[in-house]
Amino acid sequence: MLTIDAWLRQNGASFRHELEILAREYFGISKATFICGSDRLITYNLENYLSDALVKLKKGTPLAYLLGYKEFWSLEFQVNRNVLVPRPETELIIEKSIELANPGDRVLELGTGSGAIAIALAKERPDLTITATDISIEALEVARGNALKHECEIALQHADWFESIGDKWNLILSNPPYIAESDPYLSSLKMEPRVALVSGPTGFEALKVIIENAHNHLQSQGHLVIEHGIGQAQVIKKKLARHNFTKITSHKDLANINRIVTAQWISPEYG
Ligand code: GLN
């Protein structure tokens, strides 16, 4: 019989860190307590649990799906295979939205997934009126659960981008699917919902729908905040300029990669 620590060393391989987190979760204890207890003998049940998790991790299942949650903007969001795992770089959307939103603004988030963006923004800025949409009913269920968990009053709506979106908004946000169908990187994301990652062959399909239609749904002087993939900034910025957006600005993520673009739309009739 092995100690927990020895079992992890022998079996954990490159997933030792993830398995340690799962073992802690299994006991429901803190890291410090776990380290003190890791010289205990591993139980049959824990060994089964960790072996099963290891198989899933090796197949590419994100740790967040095994835990059932992911931290984003220092809040814990429930996640499952119907939603993309929130990425740290997406926190940039929250930062920029906080800067751009005026008190009481109406905000629309397109493709909310777990609801992480809309809910984190609602927690920071309770003055905003936020609607979050998704094409996936299953994702909206997850977002609903997270809104309840965080006691957030956001409206959730089933929608395919702007279809069935009637009102005008001061701020439109989105982290749309922007990975090209043929991108080899996709093979490392195969457990996450394809609809949240890919919208067509080029990676620009959803971005295009959003940019080409946003002006019909923005109040004059309203802003658009969109996340995009590596190397997509220039095309997006040109497209925004062609659709009469101004103040088109790229923002870098923590890895120093252009990750979001913000832009303002001013109605030609304005002033
Ligand atoms: N940022 C995610 C990734 O690179 C992709 C998310 C998306 O397509 N919106 O893993």
Side-chain angles (χ1 to χ4, degrees), residues 84 87 89 175-179 185 189 196-198 227 259:
L84 195 74
R87 312 288 205 261
E89 60 269 26
N175 172 17
Y178 52 66
I179 303 179
Y185 168 60
L189 306 174
L197 296 165
V198 179
E227 182 174 319
R259 181 59 66 185

Side-chain angles (χ1 to χ4, degrees), residues 30 60 81 93 111 119 156 171 174 181 201 228 234 244 249 262-263 267:
S30 71
R81 283 194 64 171
I93 296 189
I119 293 166
L156 292 165
L171 192 58
S174 190
E181 232 164 47
H228 59 77
Q234 290 317 317
N244 294 325
T249 315
T262 56
S267 158

Side-chain angles (χ1 to χ4, degrees), residues 186-203:
L186 272 177
S187 63
S188 65
L189 306 174
K190 56 186 183 294
M191 296 295 169
E192 293 184 273
R194 201 174 156 86
V195 66
L197 296 165
V198 179
S199 58
T202 67

Side-chain angles (χ1 to χ4, degrees), residues 21 23-35 37 40:
I21 294 171
R24 255 187 270 150
E25 190 73 11
Y26 179 88
F27 289 117
I29 53 178
S30 71
K31 183 162 188 181
T33 323
F34 177 71
I35 290 168
R40 279 184 298 179

